[in-house]
Amino acid sequence: MTTISLAFSLALGLITVLAFLGLPMGLAMICGSVLYLLMRGQDPGIVAEQFLNGMYSNYIMLAVPLFILAAEIMNSGTLSDRLLKWCDALVGRFRGGLAQVNVLQSIVFAGMSGSAVADAAGSGKMMQHMMTQNDKYTPSYAAALTAVTAVIGPIIPPSIPMVLYALVADTSIGYLFLGGVVPGLLMAGFMMVQIAITARVRDFPVEEPVPLRKLPRMTWEALPVLFMPIVLMYGIYGGITTPTEAAAVAAAYALLVSAVVYRAVKAPDLYQSVLTSAKTTASIGMLIAGALVFNYVVTVENIPRTISAILISWDLNPITFLIIVNIILLILGCVLEGTTILLVIVPVLIPTAQALGIDMVHFGVVAVVNIMLGLITPPYGLLLFIMTRISGSPMKHIIGDVMPFLWTLIGALILFTFVPETVLWLPKLFGYVPGGAGL
Amino acid sequence: MSPPLRNAGRWLYARAENLLAAMLATMFVVFIVQIVFRYLLNLPIGWTHEISVVMWLWMVLFGTAFVVRDSEEIRFDILYGAVGPRVRRAMVLASSLTLVVLFAISLPAVIDYILFMKVERTAYLKIRFDYLYSIYGIFAVAMIVRQLYLAWQAAWGRGADDFDHSKVSSGV
Amino acid sequence: QDNPTLRFSAVFSEQDIRAEMMSLMSSQVAEIATIETYLGGNLFKQGTELVALQRGNLEMGNIAPQDISNQIPAWSVLTSAYLFRDADHLRTFFNSDVGAEFKAMAEEQLGIYILGPTYFGARQVGLITENKINTPEDMAGIKLRMPGGDAWQFLGTAIGANPTPMAYAEVYTGLQTGAIDGQDNPLPNVENMKFYEVMKQIALTSHLVGFDLLVINKASWDAMSPEQQEAFQAAADVAIDFSQQEHLAREAELAERFKSAGLDVYTPDLDAFRAFAQQKYLESELAKDWPEGIVDRINAL
Ligand code: NA
Ligand code: NA
């Protein structure tokens, strides 16, 4: 087994320094890779080769821009608002009703979108307004709740991080998506229970009940939105679309509903949605490409094999390994952006997980849940930043209200880690053979 | 900068945005065409796949080169956001010059690779890969110019990018 | 002086028979060179190894003939349906004078030296439908997944099917949900990817003898002394023989296993398929680039 070379250490050091200096991560990884190739006397043109061929050959990544577009269209075309109103009519009547609305809204939204940031950014403003008017809830509690509930967005399918995981782990997207359903619903369920308990303790308000006779009509009006998760899942598991194509269907469906059914999208708004999505695509794509380029260096240095050899020599059992992985990912989640962890750190751990016989779908869902928790762990939690901006509430107050939920979610993570069936039960029902080769 | 020059710059930037948005729109439309052809018309086609992959590649490189601002890129901005303007300027100077040096040294090799790819063509539309991959060369040059400009601004005391954690893009 | 290090990149996995082939090869040439293997397409993506070899970023590879035909159109004949009868015929070809002409083309135009063809199984049609396939006419309207690209799609047409491009990783779900009616892959791949779980029948069409080429770039080859070259070639032959035997044995074993798993495994009218396919190819654009009378010369071997 090779030892780690000076060139690799310097490249890694350079990437870290450049990242700290504030250079975009993708560019930092390209710079580090150039340095490595120069020091090893190799052709620096390999950087372009790996970037271009890596991006050109990974078809499944095309789901990423399309899911981003779908979420953008949903948020611009009042779909999110209608969904909120329907949730309010349904569960607003209970104690802590609006808090429960926040969870329910995220469950449905999760079924159509693959991104947590899209959920918080899309529904955050309206939710904040509803929850804080007449001082029903403190601004920080409302903001914390929106951040926490948004976490389940990419755990319930569809999911952008799972698409990226499928890419690095060579696993079936279809089964990964199924693997997230039960964990996502369990997490939402735990949140609802926690809210119900807090509601009694803190005496949360009850909403003016929407008369039940109005419910059918509101449901009818929200139906096109509620139908969307079903359309997507039927597309994927009914043999019409591949998971990648389902992303395009999601965008098309959102566009159809907003523009034709609700008549809520105007051409300039649509252009803005497309442009914003394209920009987001460019910056995520840059990070993905940077990771692909740096992956060449990691491969040449045999890093995953070396780490795998070390970890296996410690005689770890799968459970201990998974615990270590959870701890590492949770800590990294406090300081790093999720995609970076997924594309740079997770691939290094995969060979060990495979050698220990850990199922790749189980491992993927556990990793994605970890990365999602990283979005709400201070100091660097993207959802915390977004909600601070939307709510105007100081971040430390939001963090204070996030904490109790964070402990619950870590509890859920432990459950998924120790009971693989929570993840694998549904994929197995659809014919998945755990530990079998990818599709 | 003189007003006419600035106006021209704005005009160009808006056109670059149009182009970037058009790439995503094309990818989207082509995907729908592909599904319709296979599922509704029972006429599977493959060239659509090629167009969408090309759009994806160009969107990332063209977008990063000409449209996306540094403050919208995915980056690690804890330190960047926490320090004062003087330190931040020094940080920008250091990182941008490092990038310029490394990109400049590797540029000849990068261009050599792109030119070499004239020997390959895409599977359906038979597009020469050197044309297709030329966008990387454009990207590399644009990055050198952009980072030089940032370094120059930082050196002469103009404020570096403002920071707002929540503006950063994310894949999750 | 230290032995040169030869980087080898391929898309097959560590569990593949060809991974064993490479370790057999490495151990035999340990005196001459150190072969560093990178598998699973981790170093260079599928289809990009050839350019990496040409540019000196890679010394050895397992290259698909389809990749060579991208740059040398005459080579496309070696990727046509029903050209080689079986693995032995394939080997005979590469050891013949005609084979030498093709190897010379690659050496002169691409700067790679071909050590030999690595057989990985004959492609067979596997379907989720019930109706038996006997002739190409029975394939009409069947959505058969083929790898992307004109050349591969044409192969599907040449056996009478309605070819559908789809990413390899999506084939299992595609079969399961009925987005496609079938796929064509060698039996070991069908086993690896568990396609057999969602298929009803396998028609042993053997329409394409699947092989890659074990190659070394010319610079590394020319750096060896004639004795070293001879030893290196001998080691490659042993490794290739081993891999071919293993694959043939595995194919036979898998055909039996799929049968006992309840699949209908049978041989259709191969003469009808061969006539249909060779006709299609000779009428196609592709054949314009083929050397005069090449199909007859190879048939005669
Ligand atoms: Na929510
Ligand atoms: Na989701």
Side-chain angles (χ1 to χ4, degrees):
Chain A
M1 217 40 56
T2 47
T3 50
I4 289 165
S5 71
L6 175 67
F8 183 78
S9 316
L10 287 180
L12 198 59
L14 181 68
I15 294 171
T16 315
V17 170
L18 288 177
F20 266 100
L21 293 178
L23 197 70
M25 279 305 298
L27 294 176
M29 285 192 274
I30 293 178
C31 287
S33 308
V34 171
L35 179 70
Y36 176 86
L37 292 170
L38 289 172
M39 288 185 67
R40 296 295 297 261
Q42 291 187 26
D43 171 20
I46 288 178
V47 166
E49 193 273 342
Q50 292 287 320
F51 188 117
L52 293 161
N53 289 327
M55 297 293 273
Y56 191 81
S57 63
N58 283 316
Y59 182 70
I60 58 168
M61 276 190 301
L62 299 184
V64 175
L66 294 167
F67 276 132
I68 293 170
L69 179 65
E72 236 0 277
I73 294 175
M74 266 185 277
N75 286 333
S76 77
T78 73
L79 261 68
S80 299
D81 295 353
R82 275 168 207 267
L83 175 58
L84 264 185
K85 293 215 178 82
W86 177 78
C87 293
D88 181 33
L90 202 66
V91 296
R93 65 192 76 243
F94 304 113
R95 185 154 298 281
L98 270 181
Q100 302 290 17
V101 168
N102 206 335
V103 184
L104 186 62
Q105 168 272 337
S106 283
I107 297 176
V108 182
F109 194 91
M112 351 189 244
S113 147
S115 144
V117 170
D119 182 1
S123 68
K125 217 180 222 146
M126 172 107 175
M127 198 68 238
Q128 193 70 22
H129 174 72
M130 284 166 71
M131 285 185 76
T132 54
Q133 66 181 348
N134 308 328
D135 292 329
K136 284 178 194 159
Y137 299 82
T138 63
S140 64
Y141 186 80
L145 201 55
T146 301
V148 168
T149 54
V151 158
I152 60 177
I155 297 169
I156 294 176
S159 165
I160 292 175
M162 284 191 195
V163 171
L164 297 178
Y165 174 83
L167 179 80
V168 296
D170 224 350
T171 324
S172 144
I173 303 181
Y175 287 141
L176 267 172
F177 276 7
L178 286 176
V181 173
V182 172
L185 291 176
L186 281 176
M187 286 165 82
F190 293 156
M191 286 179 208
M192 287 184 136
V193 171
Q194 185 162 8
I195 290 168
I197 296 169
T198 323
R200 305 228 177 278
V201 178
R202 283 168 65 171
D203 199 23
F204 281 160
V206 175
E207 295 313 295
E208 180 80 21
V210 176
L212 280 175
R213 63 188 155 76
K214 279 196 178 170
L215 201 59
R217 189 184 164 76
M218 294 188 77
T219 308
W220 171 251
E221 280 176 359
L223 207 59
V225 185
L226 299 175
F227 208 56
M228 188 161 163
I230 300 167
V231 169
L232 281 187
M233 291 304 111
Y234 181 72
I236 298 176
Y237 301 103
I240 299 170
T241 62
T242 63
T244 319
E245 289 169 342
V249 173
Y253 187 85
L255 186 60
L256 193 77
V257 172
S258 311
V260 181
V261 182
Y262 294 148
R263 298 180 188 281
V265 176
K266 294 182 190 66
D269 299 339
L270 184 60
Y271 173 73
Q272 266 318 313
S273 300
V274 175
L275 179 60
T276 310
S277 310
K279 282 194 199 176
T280 311
T281 300
S283 59
I284 296 174
M286 204 56 212
L287 179 63
I288 296 176
L292 288 173
V293 171
F294 186 57
N295 183 55
Y296 176 86
V297 173
V298 171
T299 305
V300 171
E301 285 280 313
N302 274 317
I303 299 297
R305 250 187 254 178
T306 310
I307 289 187
S308 172
I310 295 171
L311 288 177
I312 287 170
S313 73
W314 289 353
D315 242 352
L316 292 180
N317 61 29
I319 286 293
T320 329
F321 173 72
L322 281 174
I323 293 171
I324 294 174
V325 167
N326 279 330
I327 293 170
I328 292 175
L329 294 184
L330 281 177
I331 292 173
L332 287 174
C334 295
V335 289
L336 280 179
E337 195 275 340
T339 325
T340 317
I341 303 178
L342 201 47
L343 293 173
V344 181
I345 310 296
V346 172
V348 171
L349 300 170
I350 285 175
T352 314
Q354 273 170 331
L356 291 174
I358 295 168
D359 178 75
M360 282 293 102
V361 167
H362 180 225
F363 189 70
V365 172
V366 167
V368 170
V369 171
N370 262 301
I371 286 159
M372 289 305 111
L373 294 188
L375 293 175
I376 52 168
T377 47
Y380 191 87
L382 200 48
L383 290 172
L384 299 176
F385 295 133
I386 289 172
M387 289 320 295
T388 304
R389 195 170 60 156
I390 290 179
S391 68
S393 184
M395 197 192 306
K396 63 171 188 270
H397 292 174
I398 299 181
I399 292 171
D401 282 326
V402 160
M403 271 328 201
F405 287 106
L406 186 59
W407 295 123
T408 308
L409 293 181
I410 289 178
L413 174 64
I414 294 171
L415 174 72
F416 309 148
T417 307
F418 285 100
V419 189
E421 279 305 296
T422 50
V423 174
L424 295 176
W425 172 75
L426 194 61
K428 277 184 186 166
L429 216 59
F430 276 74
Y432 177 64
V433 184
L439 301 186
Chain B
M1 233 186 278
S2 66
L5 204 61
R6 193 175 306 152
N7 283 341
R10 277 208 199 110
W11 186 87
L12 274 177
Y13 184 73
R15 296 299 78 78
E17 283 189 329
N18 292 161
L19 213 57
L20 186 67
M23 290 179 196
L24 181 55
T26 307
M27 177 197 275
F28 171 59
V29 169
V30 148
F31 253 90
I32 299 301
V33 169
Q34 175 175 313
I35 298 167
V36 167
F37 266 73
R38 193 185 64 233
Y39 188 69
L40 297 179
L41 308 177
N42 202 13
L43 271 177
I45 45 175
W47 53 267
T48 44
H49 167 136
E50 212 162 274
I51 292 183
S52 15
V53 180
V54 172
M55 288 301 116
W56 157 244
L57 185 64
W58 276 62
M59 222 188 311
V60 173
L61 286 165
F62 180 84
T64 308
F66 301 115
V67 182
V68 183
R69 296 169 203 279
D70 266 21
S71 60
E72 296 167 325
E73 292 282 8
I74 299 174
R75 53 182 187 162
F76 180 84
D77 52 1
I78 297 182
L79 189 65
Y80 188 80
V83 298
R86 280 181 64 92
V87 181
R88 199 179 301 158
R89 269 172 29 216
M91 287 166 63
V92 170
L93 200 61
S95 65
S96 54
L97 289 180
T98 310
L99 182 137
V100 168
V101 169
L102 288 168
F103 269 53
I105 296 178
S106 58
L107 191 61
V110 161
I111 291 177
D112 188 60
Y113 169 73
I114 295 168
L115 294 179
F116 189 92
M117 286 304 282
K118 69 173 185 289
V119 298
E120 303 254 321
R121 279 161 199 270
T122 63
Y124 287 99
L125 303 172
K126 312 290 174 204
I127 308 168
R128 271 172 53 171
F129 266 100
D130 53 341
Y131 297 160
L132 208 110
Y133 282 0
S134 62
I135 189 69
Y136 190 93
I138 296 170
F139 154 81
V141 173
M143 286 331 285
I144 293 175
V145 174
R146 264 180 71 160
Q147 297 289 331
L148 270 180
Y149 178 69
L150 284 181
W152 187 78
Q153 274 195 315
W156 294 102
R158 223 79 56 77
D161 243 337
D162 55 341
F163 71 96
D164 178 350
H165 295 301
S166 62
K167 260 203 213 155
V168 170
S169 301
S170 172
V172 293
Chain C
Q1 195 184 332
D2 282 348
N3 283 340
T5 298
L6 306 174
R7 290 166 295 181
F8 170 88
S9 175
V11 287
F12 55 72
S13 72
E14 309 262 2
Q15 286 76 41
D16 199 286
I17 296 169
R18 288 164 291 179
E20 265 179 86
M21 169 185 87
M22 284 317 293
S23 48
L24 185 59
M25 168 102 204
S26 309
S27 63
Q28 289 181 91
V29 299
E31 307 267 290
I32 307 171
T34 309
I35 301 180
E36 263 176 18
T37 55
Y38 298 94
L39 305 184
N42 283 335
L43 198 63
F44 289 100
K45 296 270 172 304
Q46 180 161 27
T48 69
E49 304 98 332
L50 179 55
V51 168
L53 280 159
Q54 289 174 281
R55 292 181 55 77
N57 291 327
L58 188 65
E59 286 77 31
M60 286 185 75
N62 189 52
I63 308 288
Q66 286 81 2
D67 294 338
I68 295 183
S69 70
N70 276 343
Q71 293 193 39
I72 307 179
W75 263 72
S76 68
V77 67
L78 303 189
T79 67
S80 66
Y82 293 107
L83 183 76
F84 297 117
R85 290 183 294 273
D86 51 29
D88 274 338
H89 188 209
L90 169 74
R91 295 293 293 279
T92 312
F93 165 77
F94 274 98
N95 291 327
S96 71
D97 291 345
V98 209
E101 288 168 27
F102 277 80
K103 285 202 263 191
M105 278 187 245
E107 198 169 335
E108 282 153 24
Q109 298 178 42
L110 309 178
I112 53 170
Y113 181 82
I114 294 175
L115 293 162
T118 52
Y119 174 79
F120 59 81
R123 296 181 85 94
Q124 318 288 8
V125 170
L127 300 171
I128 60 169
T129 54
E130 302 271 6
N131 291 343
K132 265 200 171 189
I133 301 295
N134 193 38
T135 63
E137 286 71 34
D138 299 331
M139 295 285 288
I142 286 185
K143 265 190 263 181
L144 187 70
R145 179 270 173 185
M146 303 290 300
D150 275 346
W152 281 109
Q153 297 292 302
F154 185 75
L155 176 63
T157 313
I159 53 173
N162 183 11
T164 307
M166 183 178 276
Y168 191 52
E170 287 177 340
V171 173
Y172 183 97
T173 3
L175 291 169
Q176 195 178 27
T177 61
I180 46 174
D181 300 319
Q183 54 76 38
D184 85 311
N185 270 290
L187 299 185
N189 298 47
V190 172
E191 210 282 313
N192 272 340
M193 302 295 279
K194 309 249 185 278
F195 294 154
Y196 64 92
E197 293 175 357
V198 285
M199 298 186 332
K200 293 225 167 63
Q201 54 162 321
I202 299 174
L204 296 170
T205 47
S206 303
H207 51 277
L208 190 74
V209 170
F211 69 97
D212 292 316
L213 298 148
L214 186 60
V215 305
I216 177 167
N217 73 353
K218 217 168 160 314
S220 310
W221 180 250
D222 291 344
M224 291 182 207
S225 69
E227 296 76 38
Q228 285 177 325
Q229 286 180 346
E230 201 176 316
F232 205 83
Q233 180 65 62
D237 289 340
V238 170
I240 289 172
D241 281 340
F242 159 80
S243 171
Q244 181 171 323
Q245 284 318 311
E246 289 288 307
H247 275 96
L248 289 170
R250 188 137 181 74
E251 282 181 285
E253 175 212 321
L254 285 173
E256 286 312 310
R257 242 182 70 194
F258 294 154
K259 257 183 215 165
S260 56
L263 275 84
D264 193 3
V265 184
Y266 59 93
T267 309
D269 181 353
L270 291 183
D271 290 333
F273 268 101
R274 177 174 295 111
F276 186 87
Q278 287 201 342
Q279 183 68 21
K280 282 261 180 202
Y281 267 95
L282 286 171
E283 286 167 359
S284 74
E285 283 290 307
L286 290 166
K288 297 207 170 75
D289 297 317
W290 295 355
E292 194 70 29
I294 184 69
V295 175
D296 293 334
R297 284 174 75 192
I298 295 177
N299 279 343
L301 287 173

